[in-house]
Amino acid sequence: MSASTPRPQPVSTTAPTTTASPAGAERILAIDVGTQSTRAVVFDPLGRIVAAARVPYAPYVSPQPGWAEQDPEIYWQAIAGACRRLWAEGLDPASLGGLAVTTQRGTVVCTDERGDPVRPAIVWLDVRRAEDTPRIGGIMGLAFRALRASETVARFQADAEVNWLRRHEPETMRRTRHYLLLSGFLIHRLTDRFADSVASQVAYIPFDYRRLAWAGRRDWKWRAVPIERALLPDLVPPTGRLGEVSAAAADVTGLPVGLPVVAAGADRACEALGAGALDPATACIGYGTTASVSTIQARYLEAVPLVPPYPAALPGAYSLEFQIFRGYWLVEWFRRELGQPETQAAATAGSPPAEALLDRLLDEAPAGSMGLLHLPYWAPGIRFPGPEAKGAFVGLGDVHGRAHLYRATLEGLAFGLRDGLERAERRAKVPVTSIRLAGGGSRGRGIAQLTADVFGRPVALPHTHETAALGAAIDAAVGLGLHPDVPAAAQAMTHIDRVHEPDPATHALYDELYRKAFLGLYDALRPTYRAIREVTGYPK
C-alpha cells in the first residue's frame, strides 16, 4: 500500500444573498440526485469541496411486490432543501458561476404539457415487466434470430416501462405529453425547458447509442418501445448549455435567476469522470447499489451484440460497462441479516461506524475465505447473467463463520467485476493498467486492498467520495469556460488520496481461484438455476 497524498482542504464561505452571480464567480454547484438522498455539493475550479448539504428520503414505495415508485416532487423538494441548507450555512449563491445535475439512471417520469407528473415515477429498481408485448417480426425479426439476439430484444421490450404503461395504464399514456427520465424532469423544473443531457440517456428508450442521439426514423427501437418523438426532450451533449435557472425555480431553491445550467451525465458516467478514469487503460469500479466496472472509449464497442456502451460524460465518448445488479447492496444485506453485532456496536456512543467494523471483519478471515466461493449474480443482468440468475455460496464447511461469509461476499463481487473487465479488455484490445474506485463501498481500506489483490492492478481512491458530483462539476467547469476541455478540467480537479498496490502472493491465490473455480461456476449452476426457476417460478 502506498503513502497517501494530502486531502485538499475546503475554502472559506461568505454570507448568503439572492442576487445574480457577479462576473468572475467560479464556484460550481453539482446536484447529485441519488436513490436514497440528494446532495448539493459546491466545488472550486481545483475540485475542492467548498460546501455540501444532503437531504435523505425513502428510496421508493412498493404499491405491489417488485414495484418501485416515488413521487417526483420528493426529488425536486430535496433539491430545494439541499440548496437552502447551503445558504443557511453561509454559502453565498452569488458566488456560483453555474450548476450541473447528475441523477440515478433509468427512472422514468411521465408529465403533462406543463411538466407536472401524471403518475409516480417508476424507479430504476422496479422489476415489473410487460411480458405480453408482441415480438418484432418480419425481416427485422429474422435478423435478430440470425444474430441470436431475439431474446435480448424481447427482454428489452418487456423491461421497457412504456410497454407496461400502454398495456396496464393506457389512460396514463393518453395524458402523457412528456416522457422523461428523472434528469430531464429536474432540468425542466430548473430551467422551464424540456431538455436533457445526451450522457443521461440510459434507459429503455429509442436512443441510438452509436450516434449519441435519438434513434433514426427506421430504427427498430421505435417498434420495440413505441414512444412518439414529440414526447421526448431535446438533447444536449455534456458541457453544453441546457438553459438558465428560471424565476419559478429561483423562488423555490434560492438559486440566482439566470444561473447557467450545464449538461453533465448520469451518475455512473459522472462517477467515472470524477474518479479521473478518462482513457481505456484506466477502469472505474463503482461499488454502488449496482456494482459496475467501466472504461471510457473513443469508439463505439458492443461487448455483446445489441448491448450497447452507454454515453460517457466525456463529450462524444462511450462507457463500456459491465454491471452486477444488487452489487454493493450485498454488503447492506450482510449487515442487515448477519451484521447485528457490528450494527449494535456502531450504535454505541464513541464506537466506529458499522462500515469500519465490517472492514475489521475482513481481517478475521484469510484471503480465499478457506475455499468458500460466492457467485454474486443475485439478479439477472443484461444478456449475462441470464433470466434464471441466482446467487450462491459454494464450498461451505464447518470451519466457516460470519467473517468468511463476509470476505467471500466481497471476493465474489470482485471476481464478477474482473470477469466483466476482462470481457471489455478483449473487446477494446487495450489492457487496463490501473483502476479507480468510486461509490459508497469504496471507502474501506480493506475493500480497496481486496480489489487490488483480485485484479492484480493498482487501485487508486479519489480525494473525495463525492465522485458523481465532482464529475458533474467537471462538465460544468468546461461549459462555464473555467477549463478549456474535459481532460484539462479532470487533470485540475481530480486528485488521488491513496493507492493500494496488489500483494503478489495474495493475487496469485486469487488468480488461481478465479480461473480454476469462479469462471466456470455460473455455467455449472445454470441447469440447476433453470430447474429452480421452473419449479418455483422465481425469478420470473
Side-chain angles (χ1 to χ4, degrees):
M1 195 182 303
S2 72
S4 299
T5 56
R7 292 178 181 271
Q9 297 300 309
V11 299
S12 61
T13 59
T14 55
T17 180
T18 57
T19 58
S21 304
E26 292 189 335
R27 291 174 176 173
I28 306 152
L29 172 62
I31 298 172
D32 180 5
V33 183
T35 307
Q36 301 183 67
S37 68
T38 287
R39 292 176 294 283
V41 188
V42 178
F43 294 92
D44 72 5
L46 294 180
R48 296 175 296 194
I49 294 179
V50 176
R54 174 179 177 269
V55 174
Y57 39 73
Y60 58 84
V61 296
S62 294
Q64 295 189 34
W67 290 21
E69 299 186 347
Q70 184 61 280
D71 180 358
E73 300 293 346
I74 286 177
Y75 301 116
W76 175 236
Q77 292 302 322
I79 288 177
C83 287
R84 292 198 174 276
R85 287 186 187 181
L86 292 177
W87 322 147
E89 291 170 4
L91 185 83
D92 182 356
S95 69
L96 299 175
L99 72 87
V101 176
T102 181
T103 73
Q104 54 185 274
R105 304 188 299 192
T107 292
V108 171
V109 183
C110 298
T111 81
D112 60 17
E113 188 64 40
R114 297 194 312 166
D116 294 327
V118 299
R119 75 171 319 281
I122 301 179
V123 179
W124 67 275
L125 288 163
D126 193 282
V127 297
R128 75 188 83 182
R129 306 185 82 230
E131 299 283 4
D132 51 356
T133 303
R135 294 197 176 192
I136 295 176
I139 295 175
M140 189 62 70
L142 292 173
F144 290 147
R145 285 196 289 275
L147 291 170
R148 298 182 180 179
S150 296
E151 290 301 319
T152 301
V153 175
R155 184 167 180 187
F156 178 86
Q157 292 179 273
D159 286 339
E161 293 84 358
V162 68
N163 286 331
W164 188 93
L165 289 168
R166 288 189 179 279
R167 174 69 177 84
H168 297 279
E169 294 185 9
E171 180 58 28
T172 292
M173 291 309 300
R174 280 193 289 270
R175 295 171 58 202
T176 296
R177 293 295 176 267
H178 299 280
Y179 190 86
L180 307 170
L181 300 184
L182 177 58
S183 49
F185 168 74
L186 295 174
I187 294 301
H188 177 261
R189 281 296 170 92
L190 284 165
T191 67
D192 203 29
R193 181 186 176 198
F194 290 104
D196 202 359
S197 173
V198 166
S200 293
Q201 306 313 300
V202 180
Y204 299 102
I205 49 178
F207 183 76
D208 186 333
Y209 289 91
R210 184 186 296 273
R211 295 174 48 247
L212 299 175
W214 293 123
R217 188 166 55 88
R218 293 188 174 86
D219 195 298
W220 62 270
K221 298 183 191 71
W222 295 108
R223 294 174 62 186
V225 284
I227 304 173
E228 297 176 30
R229 172 62 187 87
L231 272 61
L232 300 171
D234 296 332
L235 295 182
V236 175
T239 75
R241 186 70 63 90
L242 285 163
E244 294 78 34
V245 171
S246 68
D251 186 56
V252 174
T253 63
L255 289 163
V257 175
L259 187 70
V261 179
V262 179
D267 53 2
R268 286 304 165 86
C270 288
E271 196 171 71
L273 196 56
L278 267 72
D279 63 271
T282 304
C284 179
I285 290 179
Y287 279 131
T289 305
T290 293
S292 67
V293 58
S294 62
T295 55
I296 291 182
Q297 307 287 334
R299 58 197 177 103
Y300 180 91
L301 296 170
E302 291 181 354
V304 293
L306 296 183
V307 179
Y310 298 139
L314 177 66
Y318 306 91
S319 177
L320 192 57
E321 181 178 327
F322 181 85
Q323 301 175 358
I324 299 180
F325 295 106
R326 298 292 187 270
Y328 206 72
W329 171 89
L330 293 171
V331 173
E332 180 58 33
W333 168 84
F334 182 92
R335 180 167 61 177
R336 184 179 68 247
E337 301 297 335
L338 299 170
Q340 290 89 348
E342 287 74 23
T343 302
Q344 291 170 4
T348 304
S351 295
E355 290 84 355
L357 294 172
L358 286 172
D359 214 24
R360 294 179 187 177
L361 205 58
L362 283 175
D363 298 330
E364 298 179 17
S369 304
M370 299 185 71
L372 182 60
L373 203 62
H374 169 226
L375 197 65
Y377 307 128
W378 291 36
I382 301 174
R383 193 77 183 263
F384 178 86
E388 73 286 334
K390 296 179 78 68
F393 286 94
V394 177
L396 276 165
D398 58 3
V399 299
H400 294 122
R402 288 190 317 118
H404 301 91
L405 279 167
Y406 184 61
R407 176 173 275 279
T409 296
L410 295 174
E411 289 172 340
L413 191 55
F415 284 152
L417 291 173
R418 177 176 166 180
D419 183 19
L421 180 61
E422 290 181 353
R423 291 167 186 255
E425 286 179 304
R426 289 193 295 270
R427 187 72 180 90
K429 296 182 173 59
V430 176
V432 168
T433 56
S434 65
I435 294 170
R436 304 289 175 91
L437 283 197
S442 67
R443 303 179 199 179
R445 286 182 177 270
I447 293 171
Q449 187 60 45
L450 183 151
T451 304
D453 291 338
V454 167
F455 282 81
R457 287 164 252 207
V459 168
L461 280 83
H463 70 280
T464 174
H465 65 271
E466 298 284 5
T467 45
L470 179 56
I474 288 171
D475 275 335
V478 176
L480 296 170
L482 302 178
H483 293 290
D485 53 38
V486 170
Q491 184 175 13
M493 298 176 71
T494 62
H495 314 282
I496 298 301
D497 178 56
R498 65 181 191 267
V499 177
H500 293 254
E501 297 286 349
D503 175 74
T506 306
H507 172 62
L509 170 67
Y510 279 143
D511 195 56
E512 277 203 280
L513 272 175
Y514 171 74
R515 297 189 183 282
K516 293 182 178 179
F518 181 84
L519 285 179
L521 189 57
Y522 182 76
D523 286 340
L525 291 176
R526 191 192 297 260
T528 301
Y529 289 157
R530 286 175 173 167
I532 292 172
R533 185 186 186 202
E534 181 181 345
V535 172
T536 66
Y538 176 82
K540 292 182 179 180

